[in-house]
Amino acid sequence: MNVRLDKKDLARYPFLKEAQGFVLSMDIPLDSLIRADTAAGQRIIHTGTDRLIRALSFGKGGGETDLDTPDDEILGYAMARLIVSCLGDRSMMDRLARYEAGRAVWFLETEEDDIRRYIAESLGLDPDADDMEVVRYIELASGLRDDRWRLINRDVRKGRVSVRTEELDALIHERIRGVIRGQLPLQVPGGICLKLREHIDRVSAVFQQQMLEEFGDIDESAFPPCMQALIAAITAGTNIPHTGRFALTAFLHTIGMETTRIVEVYTRAPDFDVSKTLYQVEHISGRGGTEYTPPGCATLRTYGLCVNRNADCETVQHPLTYYKRRKKREQGKKDN
Amino acid sequence: MNHATLEFLRQRFSEYYRKGTLMTPPSLEQREWGFIFFDISSDVRMRRHMAFQTPDEAITYMRSMVPAHVYYSTAYYALPGAATMNDKIWSGADLIFDLDADHLMRGPYDTMLLRVKEETVKLLEMLIEELGFSEKEIYIAFSGGRGYHVHIRRSDIREWGSQERRELVDYVCGIGIDPSIMMKRPFTQAGWGRRYRRALATYLKGFRQLDREEAISHLRSLEGMGSRSKRPETLYDGLDDLIEALESGRRITLNDKILRILTGPGNSGFTTILHEQAARADEPVTTDIKRLIRLPSSLHGGSGLRVTPMAFGELHEFDPLSEAVVFGETDVRVDLAFPFSMPMLGTSYTLKKGENTVPEALAVFLCCRGIADLSEGGMSRRA
């Protein structure tokens, strides 16, 4: 297909190889821009930092783009990827990828047909297909939350899954997210990261603050029923399986409970063993290098841990979302 | 288990490992291995984080060490022998489905084996007819215990994480179904739409066996139905129509609220029927991307049976109680802890508590299971 992409198109879809070609073919390469303290360099660094901060705050993207300075937009994208790579935090990379995908799809919704088609195809998706291979479908849809995307709720036959035209944008979103996330972290020379230090610190501070605001003080009454059930089971002296302990520990850790308090929860278990419990809790909380996030509702269901579902459960796909919402609501009640 | 029994088993296993045909998995140098040895203490220890460079190395190790259980990783690692999971550097994993009769029923061993085979057949049908996997990429093995392992090796799904694998295992197990979506699914083709509607029809037909009052009171007792509502009466009176619509694939006019009450997780009458439509694989095994699995061609130390690989077409005729048996018919005297009967190698055995003379193959099985010990001088006739 012959499609001419102009600068503004590349600013809308900076993950396209054409946009990366633009970055590579600049008169002054990006790393020189960063190293030399020029006004232009500083401007791009700021654009990139702001972009990453928007991503971390779950900004919606598209509307905040200034298409009058397409060069800055394209370079800002490249800069945001550099900064997040220096930071090395997986959840930040996840959020940036999600932000970029959302931003691109926001533009795609009103995009001219030939460009839409070109972008779908350049991402390896056939814009005209009414079905796709099961394994390709799973790769795209397994990250989508709504029940209607679960393979079991789809029309599946002979290795193919039916997909309706209006579902294409959601799948393109997932594809872009996957492509961008898969490229991160970039290999960034240490000198560049050092040069970006103050901007990296700014991003880090925003992220910290946001995490604190999201969770804040621990409020047991806002725990989802599955987590309450696990705590109740431990309190009653029931021996719960490893999957249950894992889910509860990861949940408690993520909402900000300290290790010692988590261990306290387990003191009531029949096979309680301080050193073993401490080891397990520390392991799940990331002492061993990997910080585990608590499983979502789908996993909890798979493990038979999704119990006592209530009306609020129907509206969430993750126990953390349940907790955040419930807590906000409780907080609202108290404030009134 | 006493020392003599332990020694007997180790000798029998040793003979098998010396003469038997041993296999190793593809990409052997990227796999982690784990072994459990014959040990008198009840504290089970696995020697894992081991790696081999060649099939010969692995086979020589098994021949000289005579393990009771042999496992290898479904995962591929850059450094499979590294001491911690993080240092191994994961690069992918085979897709595994584990079917275990323990999750399906309780009963005599041979009955359990038959039942779990049916479940495996259901799984394979779904994998091939619906999910599009090909016979060539599917490897089946009798686990040596109470079930079957299905390994799928395909490069394009090797790097999948748990989330992607969960889509497949939830599909075969029937987890996460949205009832209203099922009602809209075409009924004519194989798949969950048809299975779901069929299960609901079967469940509803049960009410036709009851008289009106009984049926209505049962419907009223379902969680969420409400004690005063007229819903149970309306539902009962429209039952024939509804069943007919479910079976013929016509549009269903059932209101969403009632549909959710009927199909809710609390209604075991329905969920049991629905589960029969699924292939109940053990979900955590499929979503675990760093699992160890028994080596096909090794012996299962809890039964003495061979972890038996088989071609796709062989499953139907496969009888674990003869084809997975590797030991002979020499007489061995064993002391049983309780009376026990089971078939093996085409003969049915009914054994009393205490001393019995049985063929070696059965003796190995009983000792491995911990049901029997070798009698004093139990192997004397062999000399």
Side-chain angles (χ1 to χ4, degrees):
Chain A
M1 191 178 9
N2 243 331
V3 174
R4 277 191 58 87
L5 298 172
D6 60 25
K7 274 279 185 56
K8 284 187 180 172
D9 293 324
L10 301 187
R12 290 186 190 101
Y13 313 110
F15 53 85
L16 289 175
K17 59 179 188 308
E18 290 85 346
Q20 296 185 24
F22 165 78
V23 175
L24 290 174
S25 66
M26 283 193 313
D27 293 341
I28 310 170
L30 196 57
D31 53 343
S32 309
L33 261 180
I34 296 168
R35 282 183 215 272
D37 286 306
T38 62
Q42 287 302 315
R43 198 181 68 240
I44 303 297
I45 293 173
H46 272 282
T47 313
T49 311
D50 290 346
R51 190 178 184 119
L52 183 55
I53 287 174
R54 273 203 304 278
L56 298 180
S57 330
F58 298 106
K60 282 287 174 256
E64 293 134 345
T65 302
D66 184 359
L67 289 174
D68 290 336
T69 52
D71 288 25
D72 283 12
E73 280 296 323
I74 300 168
L75 293 170
Y77 166 79
M79 190 62 72
R81 298 205 311 160
L82 284 182
I83 297 171
V84 85
S85 299
C86 291
L87 277 155
D89 183 289
R90 289 191 308 169
S91 64
M92 288 193 204
M93 294 176 208
D94 290 343
R95 289 195 190 189
L96 180 62
R98 190 175 288 279
Y99 169 82
E100 291 298 341
R103 179 183 174 280
V105 168
W106 190 86
F107 288 119
L108 274 176
E109 279 165 3
T110 53
E111 192 53 273
E112 288 163 35
D113 196 49
D114 56 340
I115 292 183
R116 256 182 80 85
R117 297 177 66 86
Y118 177 78
I119 287 170
E121 280 169 13
S122 69
L123 290 163
L125 294 164
D126 177 355
D128 300 318
D130 53 7
D131 66 4
M132 62 172 77
E133 242 190 289
V134 166
V135 295
R136 295 289 85 74
Y137 173 83
I138 290 176
E139 280 162 359
L140 296 175
S142 65
L144 291 166
R145 297 262 168 101
D146 201 280
D147 276 354
R148 74 192 160 96
W149 294 106
R150 300 286 67 78
L151 185 65
I152 194 162
N153 289 321
R154 307 295 298 191
D155 206 350
V156 180
R157 76 176 130 160
K158 300 248 177 283
R160 302 195 71 85
V161 182
S162 304
V163 176
R164 295 193 306 276
T165 331
E166 64 270 25
E167 293 177 321
L168 191 63
D169 280 356
L171 297 174
I172 289 180
H173 179 280
E174 287 305 288
R175 178 75 184 137
I176 298 173
R177 190 165 75 84
V179 167
I180 293 176
R181 184 63 185 87
Q183 293 166 348
L184 296 174
L186 307 168
Q187 297 288 337
V188 187
I192 298 271
C193 290
L194 214 58
K195 198 79 198 168
L196 292 169
R197 185 63 181 273
E198 64 175 291
H199 305 277
I200 288 170
D201 290 346
R202 182 156 72 97
V203 173
S204 227
V206 170
F207 191 57
Q208 286 277 12
Q209 192 189 341
Q210 215 197 317
M211 293 296 276
L212 286 175
E213 278 169 9
E214 263 176 43
F215 294 113
D217 293 338
I218 288 149
D219 178 0
E220 270 200 51
S221 65
F223 283 9
C226 49
M227 295 300 151
Q228 297 206 7
L230 284 168
I231 292 178
I234 291 169
T235 310
T238 319
N239 207 345
I240 58 168
H242 173 71
T243 47
R245 287 167 195 244
F246 174 80
L248 180 63
T249 308
F251 175 81
L252 295 176
H253 170 68
T254 312
I255 64 168
M257 197 183 264
E258 286 163 30
T259 307
T260 46
R261 275 191 66 193
I262 301 177
V263 173
E264 273 171 34
V265 173
Y266 285 100
T267 51
R268 291 161 278 191
D271 57 348
F272 177 71
D273 169 343
V274 182
S275 62
K276 207 167 144 191
T277 305
L278 188 64
Y279 170 78
Q280 287 175 345
V281 170
E282 284 187 333
H283 177 73
I284 296 168
S285 317
R287 246 330 240 297
T290 325
E291 197 167 332
Y292 293 90
T293 39
C297 297
T299 313
L300 293 169
R301 266 200 299 276
T302 306
Y303 289 145
L305 296 171
C306 174
V307 294
N308 307 336
R309 280 174 78 139
N310 61 28
D312 285 347
C313 291
E314 306 297 335
T315 65
V316 300
Q317 277 84 31
H318 204 288
L320 285 175
T321 320
Y322 181 105
Y323 177 69
K324 274 185 258 177
R325 282 201 199 152
R326 203 47 182 269
K327 212 181 139 199
K328 215 177 210 168
R329 208 188 313 153
E330 304 275 319
Q331 201 62 47
K333 273 189 222 155
K334 275 180 216 152
D335 293 347
N336 285 334
Chain B
M1 189 181 295
N2 63 33
H3 276 287
T5 308
L6 198 72
E7 197 43 46
F8 164 66
L9 290 179
R10 194 167 12 220
Q11 276 183 24
R12 297 297 85 221
F13 273 49
S14 172
E15 182 186 274
Y16 170 76
Y17 281 114
R18 257 183 296 127
K19 298 179 184 164
T21 311
L22 300 178
M23 296 164 167
T24 52
S27 311
L28 169 121
E29 69 289 348
Q30 296 177 57
R31 312 278 190 171
E32 179 199 351
W33 292 71
F35 301 91
I36 295 174
F37 298 100
F38 286 105
D39 191 345
I40 203 81
S41 91
S42 58
D43 206 19
V44 177
R45 266 162 213 252
M46 183 187 282
R47 190 176 301 172
R48 58 180 299 182
H49 306 304
M50 299 197 43
F52 300 106
Q53 288 307 311
T54 62
D56 259 1
E57 257 184 52
I59 289 169
T60 307
Y61 183 86
M62 287 186 272
R63 288 197 167 136
S64 62
M65 298 299 286
V66 192
H69 304 267
V70 182
Y71 307 87
Y72 74 92
S73 65
T74 61
Y76 303 77
Y77 300 105
L79 301 168
T84 70
M85 298 313 281
N86 268 345
D87 293 340
K88 291 187 196 299
I89 312 173
W90 185 90
S91 74
D94 297 331
L95 175 66
I96 303 289
F97 294 93
D98 174 26
L99 296 119
D100 189 328
D102 260 359
H103 297 224
L104 304 170
M105 63 169 293
R106 296 270 149 190
Y109 188 47
D110 50 326
T111 317
M112 288 176 99
L113 289 175
L114 281 174
R115 175 72 187 80
V116 72
K117 193 164 97 171
E118 285 172 17
E119 210 68 10
T120 311
V121 169
K122 266 198 278 179
L123 170 72
L124 294 170
E125 274 172 13
M126 280 194 219
L127 287 175
I128 291 168
E129 298 302 322
E130 295 168 38
L131 298 172
F133 289 99
S134 94
E135 288 181 23
K136 280 179 299 196
E137 54 208 21
I138 299 179
Y139 302 84
I140 309 162
F142 167 60
S143 74
R146 297 194 185 89
Y148 291 85
H149 295 159
V150 173
H151 307 231
I152 298 179
R153 297 201 189 101
R154 223 171 100 158
S155 58
D156 63 346
I157 58 174
R158 219 167 102 156
E159 290 174 36
W160 273 11
S162 301
Q163 184 171 274
E164 290 87 354
R165 292 166 200 254
R166 177 168 307 107
E167 291 286 336
L168 289 175
V169 76
D170 280 357
Y171 185 93
V172 301
C173 292
I175 295 170
I177 296 182
D178 182 324
S180 41
I181 292 179
M182 291 300 124
M183 293 300 118
K184 292 177 203 134
R185 276 287 117 78
F187 185 71
T188 42
Q189 66 197 41
W192 274 108
R194 180 157 76 182
R195 279 191 287 269
Y196 198 83
R197 292 168 68 127
R198 205 183 260 166
L200 188 55
T202 309
Y203 169 68
L204 292 174
K205 277 180 188 168
F207 288 101
R208 292 207 293 214
Q209 316 295 322
L210 308 173
D211 60 48
R212 187 170 191 273
E213 216 168 300
E214 223 179 329
I216 287 170
S217 106
H218 185 94
L219 286 169
R220 194 178 301 288
S221 72
L222 295 179
E223 198 184 317
M225 195 62 97
S227 56
R228 299 246 180 87
S229 109
K230 281 280 162 214
R231 286 193 200 118
E233 284 84 352
T234 322
L235 185 60
Y236 182 83
D237 294 334
L239 217 49
D240 287 345
D241 247 12
L242 184 54
I243 293 169
E244 201 274 325
L246 284 167
E247 290 191 324
S248 66
R250 267 201 291 120
R251 251 184 73 83
I252 309 293
T253 48
L254 198 59
N255 109 15
D256 219 45
K257 167 109 193 187
I258 300 204
L259 178 65
R260 284 188 191 272
I261 292 170
L262 288 173
T263 59
N267 183 10
S268 62
F270 171 72
T271 52
T272 308
I273 297 171
L274 182 65
H275 277 147
E276 283 164 11
Q277 307 279 321
R280 279 183 287 160
D282 188 14
E283 304 104 32
V285 175
T286 302
T287 55
D288 186 350
I289 55 170
K290 296 178 178 173
R291 193 118 186 147
L292 294 175
I293 196 157
R294 286 184 186 279
L295 176 72
S297 80
S298 67
L299 296 182
H300 186 306
S303 69
L305 296 174
R306 182 170 187 255
V307 181
T308 317
M310 66 195 78
F312 190 84
E314 290 168 348
L315 176 66
H316 190 67
E317 294 293 318
F318 183 77
D319 171 15
L321 292 178
S322 51
E323 284 160 79
V325 176
V326 296
F327 297 110
E329 309 211 54
T330 323
D331 283 346
V332 177
R333 282 194 70 74
V334 289
D335 186 358
L336 262 74
F338 48 82
F340 187 79
S341 38
M342 75 173 277
M344 186 176 263
L345 294 168
T347 309
S348 283
Y349 295 91
T350 304
L351 308 173
K352 58 187 192 305
K353 180 176 185 310
E355 297 234 332
N356 291 269
T357 302
V358 297
E360 176 189 81
L362 184 56
V364 169
F365 178 84
L366 295 169
C367 291
C368 281
R369 300 280 307 123
I371 297 170
D373 263 319
L374 199 66
S375 297
E376 230 165 284
M379 288 167 69
S380 60
R381 288 187 196 197
R382 301 180 56 80

